[in-house]
Amino acid sequence: MSASIDFYFDFSSSYSYIALPGISRLADSSAVEVNWKPIVLGFIFKTLNHAPPAADSVKGRYVFRDVERSAELAGLPFKWPQPFPFNSLTAARVFWYLAAADGDKAVEWARAVFHASFGEGRDCSDPDVLGELASALGQDPGELLEATAKDEVKGRLKEVTGEAMERGVFGAPTFFAGEEMFWGNDRLSQLEHHLGLK
Protein backbone atom coordinates (compact mmCIF):
# COMPACT_ATOMS: atom_id res chain seq x y z
CA MET A 1 0.00 0.00 0.00
CA SER A 2 1.45 3.37 -0.98
CA ALA A 3 2.09 6.20 1.46
CA SER A 4 0.15 9.43 1.00
CA ILE A 5 1.79 12.86 1.17
CA ASP A 6 -0.03 16.18 1.31
CA PHE A 7 1.98 18.92 -0.46
CA TYR A 8 0.82 22.42 0.52
CA PHE A 9 2.27 25.20 -1.61
CA ASP A 10 1.72 28.70 -2.94
CA PHE A 11 2.49 29.48 -6.57
CA SER A 12 4.36 32.58 -5.42
CA SER A 13 6.64 30.54 -3.15
CA SER A 14 10.13 30.21 -4.61
CA TYR A 15 10.99 27.36 -2.27
CA SER A 16 7.88 25.48 -3.43
CA TYR A 17 9.28 25.70 -6.96
CA ILE A 18 12.61 24.34 -5.76
CA ALA A 19 10.80 21.40 -4.13
CA LEU A 20 9.46 20.20 -7.49
CA PRO A 21 12.30 17.79 -8.40
CA GLY A 22 12.04 16.10 -5.01
CA ILE A 23 8.26 15.94 -5.18
CA SER A 24 8.48 14.54 -8.70
CA ARG A 25 10.88 11.86 -7.51
CA LEU A 26 8.44 10.85 -4.78
CA ALA A 27 5.42 11.00 -7.11
CA ASP A 28 7.19 8.79 -9.66
CA SER A 29 7.70 6.18 -6.96
CA SER A 30 5.05 3.48 -6.76
CA ALA A 31 5.38 3.75 -2.98
CA VAL A 32 4.06 7.33 -2.69
CA GLU A 33 0.90 9.20 -3.65
CA VAL A 34 1.33 12.99 -3.66
CA ASN A 35 -1.69 15.21 -3.07
CA TRP A 36 -0.97 18.67 -4.51
CA LYS A 37 -2.70 21.39 -2.47
CA PRO A 38 -2.22 25.04 -3.49
CA ILE A 39 -3.14 27.54 -0.78
CA VAL A 40 -3.16 31.30 -0.22
CA LEU A 41 -0.05 31.79 1.88
CA GLY A 42 -0.61 35.55 2.13
CA PHE A 43 -3.85 34.93 4.04
CA ILE A 44 -2.03 32.65 6.47
CA PHE A 45 0.73 35.23 6.96
CA LYS A 46 -1.86 37.92 7.65
CA THR A 47 -3.75 35.73 10.11
CA LEU A 48 -0.56 34.80 11.95
CA ASN A 49 0.73 38.40 11.79
CA HIS A 50 3.78 37.07 10.00
CA ALA A 51 5.60 38.71 7.11
CA PRO A 52 8.46 37.48 4.95
CA PRO A 53 11.73 39.40 5.28
CA ALA A 54 12.00 42.58 3.24
CA ALA A 55 14.10 42.19 0.13
CA ASP A 56 16.54 44.91 1.26
CA SER A 57 16.97 43.51 4.79
CA VAL A 58 19.97 41.41 5.88
CA LYS A 59 17.84 38.26 6.01
CA GLY A 60 16.00 39.15 2.81
CA ARG A 61 19.24 39.48 0.84
CA TYR A 62 20.41 36.14 2.22
CA VAL A 63 17.14 34.39 1.36
CA PHE A 64 17.18 35.70 -2.21
CA ARG A 65 20.71 34.36 -2.72
CA ASP A 66 19.85 31.09 -0.99
CA VAL A 67 16.93 30.57 -3.37
CA GLU A 68 19.19 31.12 -6.37
CA ARG A 69 21.81 28.68 -5.05
CA SER A 70 19.16 26.12 -4.17
CA ALA A 71 17.61 26.28 -7.64
CA GLU A 72 21.02 25.76 -9.21
CA LEU A 73 21.72 22.80 -6.95
CA ALA A 74 18.33 21.30 -7.88
CA GLY A 75 19.16 21.68 -11.58
CA LEU A 76 16.30 24.10 -12.17
CA PRO A 77 16.31 27.16 -14.44
CA PHE A 78 15.70 30.23 -12.32
CA LYS A 79 14.72 33.82 -12.90
CA TRP A 80 12.97 36.00 -10.34
CA PRO A 81 9.45 36.81 -11.52
CA GLN A 82 8.48 40.44 -11.83
CA PRO A 83 6.77 41.41 -9.65
CA PHE A 84 7.77 39.24 -6.71
CA PRO A 85 5.92 38.15 -4.74
CA PHE A 86 3.00 38.00 -7.16
CA ASN A 87 -0.69 37.46 -6.55
CA SER A 88 -1.18 33.71 -6.99
CA LEU A 89 -4.92 33.63 -6.31
CA THR A 90 -6.08 33.12 -9.92
CA ALA A 91 -3.50 30.42 -10.66
CA ALA A 92 -4.54 28.53 -7.53
CA ARG A 93 -8.24 28.78 -8.38
CA VAL A 94 -7.55 27.43 -11.88
CA PHE A 95 -5.77 24.47 -10.26
CA TRP A 96 -8.79 23.62 -8.10
CA TYR A 97 -11.17 24.01 -11.05
CA LEU A 98 -9.10 21.53 -13.07
CA ALA A 99 -8.62 19.20 -10.10
CA ALA A 100 -12.37 18.74 -9.71
CA ALA A 101 -12.40 16.88 -13.03
CA ASP A 102 -8.83 15.66 -13.59
CA GLY A 103 -6.06 15.68 -10.99
CA ASP A 104 -3.34 15.01 -13.56
CA LYS A 105 -4.33 18.07 -15.59
CA ALA A 106 -4.28 20.16 -12.42
CA VAL A 107 -0.73 19.00 -11.63
CA GLU A 108 0.28 19.71 -15.23
CA TRP A 109 -1.08 23.24 -14.73
CA ALA A 110 0.86 23.65 -11.49
CA ARG A 111 4.12 22.65 -13.13
CA ALA A 112 3.49 25.05 -16.02
CA VAL A 113 2.78 27.98 -13.69
CA PHE A 114 5.88 27.30 -11.60
CA HIS A 115 8.09 27.03 -14.68
CA ALA A 116 6.69 30.22 -16.20
CA SER A 117 7.06 32.21 -12.99
CA PHE A 118 10.37 31.03 -11.56
CA GLY A 119 11.91 29.33 -14.57
CA GLU A 120 11.19 32.19 -16.97
CA GLY A 121 10.48 35.15 -14.68
CA ARG A 122 6.97 35.76 -16.04
CA ASP A 123 4.17 37.48 -14.15
CA CYS A 124 1.71 34.70 -13.36
CA SER A 125 -0.73 37.12 -11.78
CA ASP A 126 -1.38 38.43 -15.31
CA PRO A 127 -4.49 36.83 -16.89
CA ASP A 128 -2.87 37.09 -20.33
CA VAL A 129 0.11 35.03 -19.16
CA LEU A 130 -2.16 32.46 -17.54
CA GLY A 131 -4.21 32.35 -20.72
CA GLU A 132 -1.09 31.57 -22.76
CA LEU A 133 -0.22 28.74 -20.37
CA ALA A 134 -3.75 27.36 -20.65
CA SER A 135 -3.57 27.39 -24.46
CA ALA A 136 -0.19 25.66 -24.41
CA LEU A 137 -1.74 22.88 -22.31
CA GLY A 138 -4.66 22.49 -24.70
CA GLN A 139 -7.11 24.19 -22.35
CA ASP A 140 -9.63 26.91 -23.16
CA PRO A 141 -8.23 30.11 -21.57
CA GLY A 142 -11.62 31.79 -21.38
CA GLU A 143 -13.19 28.80 -19.66
CA LEU A 144 -10.43 28.52 -17.07
CA LEU A 145 -10.35 32.20 -16.21
CA GLU A 146 -14.13 32.46 -16.04
CA ALA A 147 -14.20 29.44 -13.72
CA THR A 148 -12.11 31.31 -11.15
CA ALA A 149 -15.17 33.45 -10.34
CA LYS A 150 -17.33 30.44 -9.49
CA ASP A 151 -18.31 30.17 -5.83
CA GLU A 152 -17.41 26.48 -5.64
CA VAL A 153 -13.91 27.13 -7.00
CA LYS A 154 -13.28 30.06 -4.68
CA GLY A 155 -14.72 28.04 -1.81
CA ARG A 156 -12.43 25.10 -2.47
CA LEU A 157 -9.31 27.28 -2.27
CA LYS A 158 -10.57 28.87 0.96
CA GLU A 159 -11.37 25.43 2.36
CA VAL A 160 -7.92 24.01 1.68
CA THR A 161 -6.20 27.15 2.99
CA GLY A 162 -8.25 26.84 6.18
CA GLU A 163 -7.40 23.15 6.39
CA ALA A 164 -3.71 23.99 6.11
CA MET A 165 -3.95 26.52 8.94
CA GLU A 166 -5.76 24.03 11.17
CA ARG A 167 -2.93 21.57 10.58
CA GLY A 168 -0.33 24.15 11.58
CA VAL A 169 0.97 25.28 8.19
CA PHE A 170 2.81 28.61 8.47
CA GLY A 171 4.95 28.58 5.34
CA ALA A 172 5.45 26.84 2.02
CA PRO A 173 6.20 24.26 0.96
CA THR A 174 4.85 22.12 3.76
CA PHE A 175 4.46 18.36 3.56
CA PHE A 176 2.46 15.96 5.68
CA ALA A 177 2.87 12.22 6.00
CA GLY A 178 -0.15 11.41 8.12
CA GLU A 179 -0.01 14.05 10.82
CA GLU A 180 3.79 14.38 10.73
CA MET A 181 4.66 17.81 9.31
CA PHE A 182 7.80 18.77 7.39
CA TRP A 183 8.36 22.40 6.41
CA GLY A 184 10.65 23.50 3.60
CA ASN A 185 12.06 21.94 0.46
CA ASP A 186 15.22 21.10 2.43
CA ARG A 187 13.20 18.74 4.65
CA LEU A 188 12.24 16.37 1.87
CA SER A 189 15.09 14.05 2.85
CA GLN A 190 13.65 13.88 6.37
CA LEU A 191 10.25 13.08 4.90
CA GLU A 192 11.75 10.27 2.81
CA HIS A 193 13.51 8.93 5.88
CA HIS A 194 10.25 9.06 7.84
CA LEU A 195 8.56 7.03 5.09
CA GLY A 196 11.38 4.49 5.07
CA LEU A 197 12.45 5.45 1.56
CA LYS A 198 16.03 6.38 2.51
Side-chain angles (χ1 to χ4, degrees), residues 57-153:
S57 68
V58 172
K59 184 176 181 180
R61 288 191 293 272
Y62 172 81
V63 168
F64 269 58
R65 184 66 190 114
D66 182 66
V67 166
E68 294 164 352
R69 284 197 307 256
S70 297
E72 182 179 2
L73 187 62
L76 289 168
F78 189 85
K79 185 175 182 181
W80 285 106
Q82 297 299 325
F84 178 78
F86 60 89
N87 186 329
S88 61
L89 191 66
T90 301
R93 286 178 179 171
V94 168
F95 177 97
W96 286 118
Y97 172 69
L98 291 171
D102 191 326
D104 290 340
K105 288 190 182 300
V107 170
E108 186 178 36
W109 168 259
R111 293 184 186 281
V113 172
F114 272 126
H115 178 72
S117 57
F118 292 104
E120 300 176 339
R122 302 180 74 186
D123 178 7
C124 283
S125 65
D126 185 339
D128 289 339
V129 173
L130 296 179
E132 289 178 25
L133 298 182
S135 294
L137 295 175
Q139 301 288 335
D140 181 333
E143 176 189 338
L144 293 193
L145 294 175
E146 286 174 14
T148 63
K150 294 183 176 181
D151 288 342
E152 60 268 31
V153 174

Side-chain angles (χ1 to χ4, degrees), residues 7-10 13-20 114 172-174 185:
F7 169 36
Y8 292 96
F9 63 93
D10 188 300
S13 163
S14 54
Y15 284 115
S16 293
Y17 169 67
I18 293 166
L20 293 187
F114 272 126
T174 296
N185 68 289

Side-chain angles (χ1 to χ4, degrees), residues 18-32:
I18 293 166
L20 293 187
I23 278 293
S24 298
R25 183 175 66 250
L26 290 172
D28 289 342
S29 166
S30 59
V32 178

